[in-house]
Structure formats: structure tokens, C-alpha cells
Amino acid sequence: HLVTAGVPIGPAQLALLAKEGLGSVQLSLQDAEAEASDAIAGAPVFERKIAFARAVAVSNGPLDWPP
């Protein structure tokens, strides 16, 4: 299980983790809206996080959304 902000991990690293048996991914988002999320994070990272979530989905990896 990987708990991540999704920012420092690219598709190549994600593929390697999946190959090594990664079972699930939990992605941290600060808000559902880009502007608010970036403000809370203190950096413009919302779109990168969404791209990471898409990469997980494309790899058929399970993406867990905490309650």
C-alpha cells in the first residue's frame, strides 16, 4: 500500500512499483477544486496529482480514496 501526495512519483516509478507488487494507492488531495487545493498545499500541484491518479487508473492499479 502506497500513501502519497502523488507529486514526486512519475509513470516510470509507478510502473516499477506495480511490477514489484504494489497492491493499492492512497492519494492525498487537499480539495476537490484546483484553486483551493493549490492554496492549501502552498504550491500549484493539483493538476500533477490528478495526472498521477490517471496514471494509476491507466495501469489498472487500485486507487483508494479515504473516507
Side-chain angles (χ1 to χ4, degrees), residues 11-55:
Q13 293 90 355
L14 181 60
L16 178 61
L17 289 170
K19 181 180 177 184
E20 294 297 323
L22 177 64
S24 63
V25 176
Q26 180 177 320
L27 177 61
S28 172
L29 289 172
Q30 285 65 39
D31 197 279
E33 300 293 328
E35 186 176 342
S37 182
D38 289 346
I40 294 166
V45 295
F46 182 82
E47 293 304 326
R48 290 171 57 193
K49 291 179 179 222
I50 297 302
F52 175 80
R54 287 185 179 121

